[in-house]
Amino acid sequence: TVAHPLSETRAEEALEEYFAKHEYINTRTFASVCKCSLSTAYRRIAEMVQEGKLKSSGISRGLYEWVCKDS
């Protein structure tokens, strides 16, 4: 269990920082960046994909790409 998971707003900021340097993220890294459990990471990724903030990568199952808000 994670003692202090990041709020949704702070998690998105952390993800933006991560994606400034990386092209893809997987669930384990998402959990680490957002300081949440793997089950929470799976749920948040699914929510973010539905919201259009992340998209599944065509490269490999389990990899996700950031969807730029500007485009």
Side-chain angles (χ1 to χ4, degrees):
T1 50
V2 177
H4 301 286
L6 297 178
S7 70
E8 236 168 277
T9 306
R10 185 62 198 108
E12 282 196 32
E13 290 170 4
L15 287 168
E16 284 184 37
E17 290 172 25
Y18 174 86
F19 279 109
K21 298 181 186 109
H22 303 88
E23 203 170 338
Y24 304 102
I25 196 166
N26 63 26
T27 308
R28 192 169 299 280
T29 305
F30 185 101
S32 173
V33 169
C34 295
K35 296 179 174 53
C36 64
S37 66
L38 271 177
S39 58
T40 299
Y42 280 110
R43 191 178 69 250
R44 279 193 172 173
I45 287 171
E47 290 168 359
M48 291 181 80
V49 167
Q50 273 197 318
E51 293 167 2
K53 295 176 181 173
L54 286 178
K55 69 177 182 178
S56 291
S57 159
I59 292 179
S60 174
R61 217 176 113 223
L63 280 183
Y64 299 90
E65 294 177 56
W66 187 252
V67 178
C68 294
K69 293 179 182 178
D70 305 342
S71 58

